[in-house]
Amino acid sequence: MTTTLRGGDNFDSAAIAASKLTGTLPAIDGGALTGNVGKVVQIREFQTSTSTVTTSTTSVATDLLMSFTPKLTNSSLLVQFSFTGYSLSTSNGVEFDVWKNGTRMVMTGGGGGNAHSFLYNPLNTASRYESHKIQFLDNVSSNSAVEYRLYTQAHSAAYSSGIQSDWGVQSIIIMELEND
């Protein structure tokens, strides 16, 4: 039996009995499906329930950090911070930045992600809590340990802000990816 499809007809492969499928199927090159991402080498996670609240208008280190040692000398690290930002009072903001080995990370174009997040409280409320995720891809060229740490700072010294554990744990996940 031969089936001919015309424009507008739908084909339902579930209607074909497996016994009717014969012959050699073409091989598919799976390499074309993956791009330049290789396999996952290792994944690590750290969680903390410690809050960091500050009125400082300069960067303050939080307890959300991880020292990570890549297994390969040429890999990419997918880094993700998840936390609850907190801002007390209206018209106050708080910034969150990732620092790598003690230096503030500045991310530029290229689709690698962003190492910065911001919370502003324009509402007429006493405080504001908001979930944040900071995720970025960092290429490393050695298997030396690297430390990623979240920092926070208030926009006004008159009001407290930072990260709060009252609304859940804060976490960092790092996934090492093999570069092809």
Side-chain angles (χ1 to χ4, degrees):
M1 172 171 93
T2 302
T3 302
T4 304
L5 296 178
R6 289 183 274 310
D9 288 348
N10 291 323
F11 178 75
D12 183 3
S13 63
I16 300 174
S19 62
K20 300 292 182 186
L21 297 175
T22 60
T24 304
L25 297 175
I28 298 174
D29 178 9
L33 303 174
T34 61
N36 65 350
V37 178
K39 65 181 179 180
V40 174
V41 178
Q42 63 175 318
I43 300 173
R44 291 202 40 228
E45 178 183 26
F46 170 75
Q47 294 183 348
T48 182
S49 58
T50 303
S51 297
T52 302
V53 178
T54 185
T55 57
S56 175
T57 57
T58 58
S59 294
V60 174
T62 71
D63 286 338
L64 190 51
L65 75 144
M66 183 187 293
S67 180
F68 186 89
T69 303
K71 291 185 177 181
L72 304 177
T73 57
N74 182 21
S75 59
S76 296
L77 302 180
L78 181 61
V79 181
Q80 178 179 296
F81 286 85
S82 299
F83 57 95
T84 301
Y86 162 77
S87 179
L88 178 64
S89 184
T90 60
S91 302
N92 187 35
V94 58
E95 286 189 47
F96 307 100
D97 292 296
V98 175
W99 291 42
K100 177 182 174 182
N101 294 332
T103 302
R104 182 177 180 259
M105 294 185 71
V106 178
M107 305 300 284
T108 57
N114 195 342
H116 176 84
S117 188
F118 179 78
L119 167 64
Y120 179 67
N121 188 5
L123 304 175
N124 195 12
T125 60
S127 60
R128 181 170 181 180
Y129 296 86
E130 190 174 277
S131 293
H132 287 260
K133 288 201 186 311
I134 297 177
Q135 180 174 300
F136 57 92
L137 195 61
D138 190 16
N139 294 316
V140 293
S141 57
S142 77
N143 57 354
S144 298
V146 59
E147 181 185 89
Y148 296 98
R149 184 176 212 151
L150 185 69
Y151 279 70
T152 185
Q153 71 182 59
H155 274 224
S156 170
Y159 304 106
S160 62
S161 57
I163 64 171
Q164 282 286 345
S165 62
D166 300 347
W167 294 65
V169 297
Q170 325 303 329
S171 69
I172 176 174
I173 298 172
I174 301 179
M175 181 185 313
E176 182 178 8
L177 305 171
E178 178 182 52
N179 291 336
D180 283 346

